[in-house]
Amino acid sequence: MNPHQQILLFSALTAFTVVLLTMPSLIKVARMKHLVDEPGENRKLHQRSVPTIGGIIIFAAIIFSYALWFPRGEALDTTDAGYRELYRLMGAAYGDFKHVIAAMVLLFFIGVKDDIIGFSPVKKLFGHMIVGYILVVMAGIRISDMHGVLGFYELPPSVSIAFSFFVYVVVVNAMNLIDGVDGLAGGVGLIAALAYGTWLYLAGDVALALLAFVLAGALAAFLVFNMHPARVFMGDSGSLIIGAILAVLAMKVVDHDTAKLPLKLQQLPTPIFAMSVLAYPLVDTLRVFVVRMARGNSPFAADRNHIHHRLLALGLGHRGTTFSIYLYALAIIALSLVTRKWHPNIGLMVLGVTALALALLPFAWPKSNKG
């Protein structure tokens, strides 16, 4: 195992251990202080009070592990010939590091306040605008080239900033919206983090792969407590952090240099791979928004019309529903690899139609009497 692989392995194990050892104490404190979500509302699926602040430990584990294992310069490149390139890469990596940390801290406080005493939508939107400004404008984490997808290549700076801001808002809210069944948001986030982390490692970006693997380690341990019947929910403090990290990773993948990737992955257009990894939250969010607006309701009005609600109504149960959606996420990622040699627009069309058709399939099935 080389030094890069050791960094990624130990960082994931560190995040996993922090969550595994500290979550029981958080659950105990949350119950003592009554920081729980009570059952009762029609759209809620749990039958007993459950602590809602699991995101606090996820956040702490990510920050601790990311800072502890952040690679030193010599760990990235030890050759004299690569010194200037090493200096450039480390400068970019530290720039990403400080801005991502700043954005995560701000999102953490927004999420914690929302979990405990609530947060007005206007103030929450203002907070997202600040985070978006930090990531897209200050850090320069943005999509600047679509690599021929839909006929677009290099984007003008103003379009790149606006589009990247839109991507950040969509991904963060999509991860927040799918957090409705035990183990769902954590598992989908884990699959996405592993996919992006592996891709970034193969592309030679250990610093960004580190961010993905500490997220994966934290979520793997969180699922120990969040699988049905859940002992803790991640809350907004967790889903906002997960969504923001995945948005950063997705945008970085789209604009990343692919020269160091294996040939098979170089053939896969980066925007298509980035979208395929987040296919489930994106398709579910698009579907519920369209349905709500078609019924004359606000697209942000909570209801029981998500895909996971339909799978539960078909009698799959919490575990059956989450594992079905895990398979869906893995299948779409695998399909993106199969279509890698196709024209980007044809590959996008096949992936989009397949993802949408599979997502609508449960609604063509008659409901189970158990639902």
Side-chain angles (χ1 to χ4, degrees):
M1 183 177 290
N2 65 44
H4 298 168
Q5 294 168 343
Q6 290 177 11
I7 287 174
L8 300 180
L9 175 62
F10 290 134
S11 65
L13 288 175
T14 301
F16 181 90
T17 305
V18 169
V19 174
L20 194 67
L21 296 182
T22 58
M23 191 64 81
S25 298
L26 180 83
I27 294 173
K28 185 177 180 180
V29 171
R31 290 197 175 282
M32 289 172 59
K33 300 298 182 182
H34 201 65
L35 302 174
V36 298
D37 189 31
E38 299 287 359
E41 292 181 21
N42 182 47
R43 66 185 180 86
K44 294 183 178 179
L45 302 173
H46 54 288
Q47 303 299 319
R48 57 191 175 88
S49 60
V50 180
T52 58
I53 54 174
I56 291 176
I57 297 298
I58 295 175
F59 170 77
I62 292 171
I63 293 288
F64 175 73
S65 307
Y66 189 36
L68 182 66
W69 291 102
F70 196 80
R72 295 175 297 173
E74 58 267 32
L76 286 176
D77 192 340
T78 56
T79 63
D80 292 335
Y83 180 78
R84 290 187 177 179
E85 179 64 8
L86 167 67
Y87 187 83
R88 186 187 67 79
L89 289 173
M90 290 310 298
Y94 282 120
D96 292 341
F97 177 82
K98 70 174 187 177
H99 289 108
V100 168
I101 293 290
M104 286 174 58
V105 169
L106 182 55
L107 279 175
F108 171 73
F109 284 113
I110 293 172
V112 167
K113 185 179 179 185
D114 202 20
D115 289 336
I116 296 176
I117 61 175
F119 212 77
S120 75
V122 174
K123 291 180 179 177
K124 202 170 181 179
L125 177 61
F126 183 68
H128 280 304
M129 291 177 67
I130 295 176
V131 173
Y133 182 83
I134 292 172
L135 294 176
V136 175
V137 179
M138 295 181 68
I141 298 172
R142 67 181 71 149
I143 297 170
S144 60
D145 195 324
M146 290 299 291
H147 305 276
V149 173
L150 298 176
F152 295 104
Y153 289 90
E154 187 172 346
L155 303 175
S158 57
V159 175
S160 169
I161 291 174
F163 181 56
S164 302
F165 205 99
F166 173 77
V167 169
Y168 159 75
V169 171
V170 168
V171 173
V172 168
N173 283 284
M175 289 304 298
N176 183 259
L177 288 173
I178 67 167
D179 186 23
V181 177
D182 298 345
L184 180 55
V188 171
L190 172 61
I191 292 170
L194 288 174
Y196 285 142
T198 303
W199 192 99
L200 287 163
Y201 168 71
L202 294 174
D205 198 330
V206 179
L208 271 176
L210 172 69
L211 180 61
F213 277 95
V214 296
L215 174 61
L219 291 179
F222 174 72
L223 288 174
V224 173
F225 305 94
N226 186 242
M227 293 302 285
H228 186 69
R231 284 180 280 168
V232 65
F233 296 148
M234 66 172 64
D236 280 8
S237 55
S239 64
L240 294 181
I241 294 292
I242 296 168
I245 292 176
L246 293 179
V248 167
L249 295 174
M251 288 190 281
K252 282 291 187 179
V253 164
V254 171
D255 261 20
H256 208 284
D257 180 9
T258 60
K260 294 183 180 178
L261 284 170
L263 180 59
K264 289 184 178 180
L265 286 180
Q266 289 183 30
Q267 296 168 334
L268 174 59
T270 53
I272 290 181
F273 177 71
M275 286 188 283
S276 71
V277 171
L278 294 173
Y280 176 72
L282 295 178
V283 169
D284 184 54
T285 300
L286 175 65
R287 200 196 67 79
V288 294
F289 274 29
V290 169
V291 170
R292 288 170 185 173
M293 288 189 291
R295 293 175 177 174
N297 300 324
S298 165
F300 300 100
D303 57 24
R304 296 190 60 162
N305 197 33
H306 289 272
I307 296 169
H308 58 258
H309 288 126
R310 183 66 183 187
L311 292 174
L312 286 170
L314 292 175
L316 268 66
H318 280 254
R319 290 178 185 272
T321 295
T322 52
F323 282 108
S324 297
I325 294 172
Y326 294 169
L327 288 176
Y328 171 95
L330 293 170
I332 298 301
I333 294 173
L335 185 59
S336 73
L337 299 175
V338 172
T339 61
R340 67 184 185 279
K341 293 182 181 179
W342 300 1
H343 188 280
N345 290 341
I346 296 176
L348 178 64
M349 184 181 68
V350 171
L351 278 169
V353 170
T354 305
L356 195 59
L358 289 176
L360 294 177
L361 190 60
F363 296 90
W365 232 263
K367 286 185 179 180
S368 165
N369 291 331
K370 293 188 295 184

